[in-house]
Every structure is written in structure tokens, then in C-alpha cells.
Amino acid sequence: MCSDFQRAESGTELLARLEGRSSLKDIEPYLFADEDSPVHGAILEFHGPEGTGKTEMLYHLTARCILPKSEGGLEVEVLFIDTDYHFDMLRLVTVLEHRLSQSSEEVIKHCLGRLSLVYCSSSTQLLLTLYSLETMFCSRPSLCLLILDSLSAFYWIDRVNGGESVNLQESVLKKCSQLLEKLVNEYRLVLFATTQSIMQRTANSAEGPSCASNRPSDAELDYRPYLCKAWQQAVKHRIFFFKHDDSNTSNQFSLVSRHLKSNNLRKHFFIIRESGVEFC
Amino acid sequence: MGVLRAGLCPGLTQDMVQLLRSRGIKTVVDLVSADLEEVAQKCGLSYKALVALRRVLLAQFSAFPFNGADLYEELKTSTAILSTGIGSLDKLLDAGLYTGEVTEIVGGPGSGKTQVCLCVSAHVAHGLQQNVLYIDSNGGFTASRILQLLQARTPDEEEQAGALQRIQVVRAFDIFQMLDMIQDLRGTVAQQVSSSSGTLKVVIVDSVTAVVSPLLGGQQREGLALMMQLARELKTLARDLGVAVVVTNHMTRDRDTGKLKPALGRSWSFVPSTRFLLDVTKGTGASDSQRMPTGFQEMVDLGTWGTSEQSPQLQGDHT
């Protein structure tokens, strides 16, 4: 992998890298706990149980990016990698329709033309797909945002396929994490990846990888890191999603964003409307 | 996908495989992630050949990106919304069952899950004139009940017989049988030209808990992996064949709080796109969907299910 940094770049690669990907600085300031941290090259992890708004947030970010500048968008391209057939195109179209001042089929199709979708059916396929997408990042400098929903979809299947050795079980995901980190740094992308909370709070420690609770504040956030170390190290921001279960505010959600190096924490509330996520 | 062998892709000869293997490159992933200059030097193969081989392997085994606009066009033409035949349920589900998605019905024992499945089968077979595949894993399907529902819809015996023919019932009492069944289904659909009696539009799995819960529990990961494999098969089935998949699930008590919750745990909770809950005590259904706001409730009257007329007793109760 390090040898790749030493190989000579072709002219197009150089231009693509330096020409700069348009700034995603304003993509969604609420998600970044540390205002000074650079947006490009950032890897953010969305973590939370089912129904807490992670995928809605991804639609919100996608819409922000693919809408034209005249409608308040950033007019950049997005690559959405879907590992569990979760992506709902019709929902995204509804979000776009509500955000456009004049929505017509033409405009919607034009926006959707900036979105590329990839479906992966196994972690090995995910890894190979990331390798083959490298040419895409090279040749399209307007592609700035990479979304991966979700990284934990193959977790149980990988654990069984790897036999008894934990290293073998995690090896493909480890390679994926390292490759993602390399791609995001080299091509100055922003990566949003979701991981599902699939571990029980009080399960035995033999069930998952040993959870070192050296972060006492995480206990209240019900977070059990179960993915490989390589991924834990690659993530710069971790954002936890919660749903509020009171009957009168059944639509309220909140997120806690933590910048892992500086340990800054921010909490925000949001609701989900027809037009997508709306911060309160 | 996996191990390199001769003929896996054009240009990969047995000699190349042997040379690569002798240097520790045994799988596709090994080759794709290796430094090709180094490999060329160590194995004595030409760098150009290796680069070409890498490109071919990537083209063959990686997923191909789709453009959003094209995908939208395709979905617009292929997605259908199937009414369930129960008005208030349709309202909960945002007009009905969507093809290409997995919808889950959760409820305690006796709450009417099988009843809903039978009603949906009767409506799709008779009202929409499409085929239904009913995968029964707990013996709840009775032909006489379906006949009753059809008789309530139409007195014409020929129509009833026609509708009954469109419902195919298979029994699968463990997960391996169910996985085989899904494979077989793909095979038959691939070979068949659409028959005159309509195309398959709904696959009902009643219930998925019966085949999965014996595998869960304890320290075994194999059970969870099998469950996720079944989940993946169901989702790809829905997507590839353009059918609406309906699964039923039971309720179980939460270990810590003692409250009732859907069974099969957190990993399964991410699988269905829409999940609605049947609660027999209040007679309501509350839905949890990725499309609609959660917490919608509707009153459904058990007695009037299956009839095509609107009963004055049906009430709507939105939260």
C-alpha cells in the first residue's frame, strides 16, 4: 500500500488531485464537533440502533450535495455504496421534490445524474469494488462525497467465514478500512459511513471483541466497538444517533457528535419531515 | 470469487496461477491488493500482463456503479404498490405493499398475523389477478380459510378456483429448506416466460421467527450469520424479481426491561423496510417505516377483514 504513494502519478491524476475538489465545508456544520478540523479527508461514522435517523441523515447530505447551486445545494457528485439494499430512491426523490422551489422531472433527473449508486453483496466484493472505484475518483474531480451504508452489514457473515481466528475474520474489513482511509486522504474526499448498533448492552464479553471501557462517557452512550481496530483508528468523528420515545414528541431525534482526537462533544436535535432532516 | 485458478478469467493460465501461488498470491484479493511491480519481478511475469489481469479481475468481480437518474427511471417503471385488501392497513403502509421491499408484520400469538397474510394472498390472487408464493413454516396455512375469504369476495366458483390456483404454498420447517426454496424460486422464475395466469408479485414468509429463533441464543455466531444470509436472500429476491416480500415475526420480552419487543434481535431489526405491529388488545396496528413517520396507528376490525366492502365500524386513529 505505501508503495502506491511512491508510484508516479499520471498527468490527469495530478490535475484531478490538485485542481481541488469543491469545498464541502458547508455541507452540514452540525455534524462536526470541532469547527477547526478540516472537512476534506474526514471520515465520519454514524452509529445508532434502527430507526434513529442515520439513513435519513444520509439522504439529507446527498440532497445537499446534488441540488444545484441555485437551489441552495453544492452541485457536487456523490457516490453511495449500499451494502444491504437499504437505499430507497423514492424517498430521496421525495426529499428533493420538497427542497426544490420548482420541482419537475427534468430537474430531478438532472440532480440524480450527480448520484452514483453501487450495491455490494459481500465484504470481498466491497473491497474489490473500492479498488475499481479508484479510477472513478481519479477521473471525476467533482466527486467529493463518499457514503457507505452500512459498514457493519457483513459482520456476522464474516465472523463465521473466518473460522476460529479473529484476525482472519476481520481481515477483509481491515483491508477495506485501510483502503478507504487511503482513498479519502489521497483524493481529498469526505466519507460518511454508518454502522449499526447490533450488540446487546449486557451480552457476555465472549460474544464480541473485548470492549475496553477506557472511555467512561461512552458507557452512557451504549457504544460497544465491535468492528476491527483499523476502522476504529480511521474514524475521525463519531456521531451517535438517538430517538426520543416520548409520545408527544414522537418525531424528535438527537445526535451527539464527538471529534475523536480533541474529544469535543456537540449535541443537536433534529426532526424528520417530508423534506428530510431539519435541525431544531 | 476467491481463489485464483486457471480459466477464472481470460488470460489467467495454469502456469501463471502456479507462479503466483509460489509467491503467496492465492486469491483474487491478494492479487488486486499486491504491488504489481514487485510481483512481476519476483514471479518473472510481465508487468503489462499483470496489470491487464488485474483490470479484468476487477471488472469481473467488483460491483458496477449505476447512475442515479437511470436507476430512478427503472424504479419508476418496475415498482408497483400492491393494495393489501384491507383499507386501514393500506393507509398505514403508505398505499400498500411495495415491490422490491421487505415488509414485516409483528405481533403476539393470536394477534392476526396469519390472518393478514391470508387476506393479502386472497386479495392479490383474486383482486389483482397476480401470483402469490406462500412459504409456511409453522403450519398456519389452511386452504379452507383461504376458500372462505374468496367465497366472501365472489360467489362465482370459477373465479374462486382461478384465484386458488394463483396461490402456491410450500412448507419449509428449517432455515436450510427455506434457503433452498428461495434458490429454487429464482431458478424457476429465470426459466419461465411469464405465464398466462399472471406473474409472481408477492412472497409471504409465515413466519420467519419459526426457522430462525432455534438458531439464536448461546454463544453461536453461526445462527446469526445464517439469519443475516436469509435476510440478504430475501432482500435480493425482492429487488431482483420485483416482488413484495412479507414476513411475519413474533414478539418477545426484553431481557432488561421486561417490555414486549419484536423477536430476532437488533441485527434483524435493520432488515425490513417497513415493520408494523399488530396488537390484539387494542386492535391497533402501529407502523415503523422508512417512508412514513413512525407511530402511525390505525384501528382494524378483525371481523370485517377479507371483505371488499368498507365496514362502518372501521376507524382511523392517527398519532
Side-chain angles (χ1 to χ4, degrees):
Chain A
M1 247 170 331
C2 1
S3 56
D4 272 328
F5 284 107
Q6 290 155 11
R7 84 181 148 82
E9 278 183 313
S10 77
T12 38
E13 286 174 302
L14 181 69
L15 280 175
R17 193 159 59 86
L18 296 181
E19 200 160 51
R21 307 193 107 92
S22 10
S23 174
L24 285 184
K25 247 166 59 85
D26 298 320
I27 183 170
E28 186 47 85
Y30 282 118
L31 292 175
F32 294 88
D34 193 348
E35 280 116 16
D36 298 329
S37 69
V39 172
H40 284 272
I43 296 185
L44 296 96
E45 178 183 332
F46 288 177
H47 189 83
E50 177 266 327
T52 46
K54 302 189 293 298
T55 310
E56 272 294 329
M57 187 61 76
L58 293 176
Y59 295 145
H60 167 71
L61 293 166
T62 308
R64 274 286 278 143
C65 286
I66 62 180
L67 282 172
K69 287 209 170 99
S70 53
E71 301 276 1
L74 297 167
E75 220 166 292
V76 294
E77 292 183 22
V78 178
L79 176 66
F80 198 113
I81 304 179
D82 186 6
T83 58
D84 49 8
Y85 290 99
H86 207 79
F87 182 75
D88 187 357
M89 178 63 83
L90 301 174
R91 174 68 190 140
L92 179 64
V93 170
T94 311
V95 170
L96 287 173
E97 279 173 354
H98 280 86
R99 291 186 184 199
L100 285 168
S101 53
Q102 306 146 323
S103 78
S104 66
E105 281 300 298
E106 269 304 307
V107 179
I108 299 266
K109 277 181 66 174
H110 198 67
C111 292
L112 289 176
R114 293 194 195 101
L115 172 66
S116 300
L117 206 56
V118 185
Y119 292 108
C120 289
S121 60
S122 73
S123 48
T124 320
Q125 195 186 42
L126 174 63
L127 183 61
L128 294 174
T129 308
L130 287 173
Y131 275 114
S132 68
L133 288 173
E134 197 167 348
T135 39
M136 200 170 159
F137 297 133
C138 258
S139 55
R140 285 159 59 160
S142 57
L143 177 55
C144 308
L145 185 63
L146 181 56
I147 295 182
L148 179 49
D149 183 21
S150 65
L151 193 57
S152 53
F154 309 116
Y155 178 69
W156 292 115
I157 299 179
D158 280 349
R159 284 201 64 188
V160 166
N161 285 342
E164 286 308 316
S165 141
V166 177
N167 274 339
L168 213 56
Q169 290 166 11
E170 293 183 338
S171 65
V172 182
L173 204 65
K174 180 171 162 196
K175 292 196 182 122
C176 286
S177 312
Q178 288 167 338
L179 183 56
L180 280 169
E181 199 176 358
K182 173 186 165 236
L183 288 172
V184 165
N185 280 330
E186 207 166 286
Y187 298 101
R188 313 302 300 149
L189 309 167
V190 183
L191 168 66
F192 289 96
T194 57
T195 55
Q196 301 151 343
S197 307
I198 54 179
M199 295 298 179
Q200 291 282 10
R201 231 172 301 165
T202 52
N204 294 337
S205 56
E207 164 99 0
S210 59
C211 152
S213 49
N214 47 9
R215 286 185 283 193
S217 57
D218 272 338
E220 77 203 31
L221 296 174
D222 180 25
Y223 174 58
R224 285 196 51 188
Y226 58 90
L227 290 175
C228 58
K229 269 237 140 41
W231 173 251
Q232 312 293 348
Q233 285 161 356
V235 176
K236 304 247 173 30
H237 289 80
R238 189 167 285 126
I239 300 167
F240 298 89
F241 283 74
F242 303 95
K243 181 167 188 317
H244 294 230
D245 263 330
D246 336 328
S247 47
N248 40 359
T249 54
S250 65
N251 214 12
Q252 252 219 352
F253 300 82
S254 65
L255 60 83
V256 173
S257 168
R258 171 199 279 275
H259 186 228
L260 295 176
K261 277 230 179 74
S262 64
N263 241 340
N264 286 342
L265 269 182
R266 290 284 153 80
K267 183 164 183 166
H268 297 288
F269 293 91
F270 63 93
I271 57 173
I272 298 180
R273 289 192 197 282
E274 278 294 300
S275 58
V277 165
E278 216 178 270
F279 282 95
C280 303
Chain B
M1 179 148 54
V3 180
L4 286 170
R5 52 184 165 77
L8 184 64
C9 73
L12 186 58
T13 61
Q14 184 60 25
D15 296 334
M16 285 177 93
V17 172
Q18 295 288 24
L19 278 171
L20 290 169
R21 197 169 291 177
S22 64
R23 297 292 178 217
I25 297 185
K26 302 197 189 86
T27 64
V28 177
V29 171
D30 289 340
L31 181 59
V32 165
S33 49
D35 174 13
L36 293 182
E37 275 184 23
E38 229 181 283
V39 175
Q41 279 173 3
K42 283 203 291 191
C43 298
L45 293 165
S46 111
Y47 178 70
K48 264 191 165 175
L50 282 173
V51 168
L53 186 61
R54 183 181 192 265
R55 200 176 304 137
V56 168
L57 282 173
L58 279 180
Q60 193 165 332
F61 290 111
S62 63
F64 186 74
F66 297 100
N67 182 276
D70 297 337
L71 205 64
Y72 179 50
E73 275 307 310
E74 200 195 303
L75 275 179
K76 270 200 300 189
T77 51
S78 63
T79 306
I81 307 179
L82 305 165
S83 157
T84 56
I86 304 165
S88 42
L89 193 55
D90 282 348
K91 265 199 267 184
L92 261 186
L93 294 176
D94 191 21
L97 298 167
Y98 279 63
T99 56
E101 289 185 5
V102 175
T103 308
E104 180 178 306
I105 308 176
V106 194
S111 55
K113 304 185 290 294
T114 307
Q115 176 75 349
V116 173
C117 292
L118 293 174
C119 287
V120 168
S121 308
H123 179 75
V124 171
H126 176 259
L128 303 176
Q129 308 266 311
Q130 300 291 350
N131 293 351
V132 176
L133 173 65
Y134 197 109
I135 304 181
D136 185 12
S137 63
N138 54 12
F141 184 92
T142 48
S144 49
R145 183 70 187 124
I146 277 268
L147 185 59
Q148 267 182 350
L149 290 171
L150 288 170
Q151 280 166 344
R153 298 176 70 94
T154 171
D156 183 345
E157 284 196 3
E158 260 196 48
E159 271 186 48
Q160 290 166 13
L164 281 175
Q165 276 183 339
R166 285 189 208 104
I167 304 176
Q168 187 191 0
V169 183
V170 289
R171 299 210 143 90
F173 293 113
D174 68 55
I175 195 164
F176 300 104
Q177 276 183 348
M178 194 173 285
L179 286 168
D180 280 344
M181 211 131 282
I182 297 176
Q183 283 299 325
D184 288 345
L185 174 65
R186 284 173 161 268
T188 44
V189 169
Q191 289 164 1
Q192 229 175 35
V193 184
S194 63
S195 53
S196 54
S197 68
T199 45
L200 182 65
K201 278 292 170 203
V202 179
V203 174
I204 299 181
V205 181
D206 180 21
S207 69
V208 78
T209 326
V211 295
V212 174
S213 58
L215 305 167
L216 300 178
Q219 306 288 329
Q220 304 144 11
R221 329 164 226 130
E222 284 86 4
L224 282 157
L226 274 172
M227 178 177 83
M228 294 319 290
Q229 199 184 331
L230 178 65
R232 196 156 274 279
E233 289 289 327
L234 287 172
K235 289 190 108 162
T236 45
L237 186 74
R239 196 53 80 107
D240 294 345
L241 266 52
V243 298
V245 174
V246 180
V247 298
T248 61
N249 191 6
H250 299 170
M251 298 283 271
T252 179
R253 265 187 205 285
D254 189 41
R255 228 186 333 200
D256 311 314
T257 62
K259 280 200 309 200
L260 285 173
K261 62 169 187 178
L264 301 182
R266 290 187 183 199
S267 299
W268 179 265
S269 69
F270 290 97
V271 173
S273 329
T274 305
R275 167 184 264 183
F276 68 92
L277 173 86
L278 292 174
D279 191 340
V280 72
T281 49
K282 292 183 277 185
T284 58
S287 89
D288 183 8
S289 160
Q290 69 185 23
R291 219 178 344 268
M292 307 258 285
T294 58
F296 258 24
Q297 283 190 350
E298 282 282 342
M299 295 280 273
V300 258
D301 191 335
L302 215 60
T304 56
W305 279 358
T307 62
S308 39
E309 308 121 19
Q310 279 291 356
S311 161
Q313 293 156 328
L314 285 173
Q315 292 161 8
D317 177 27
H318 295 255
T319 50

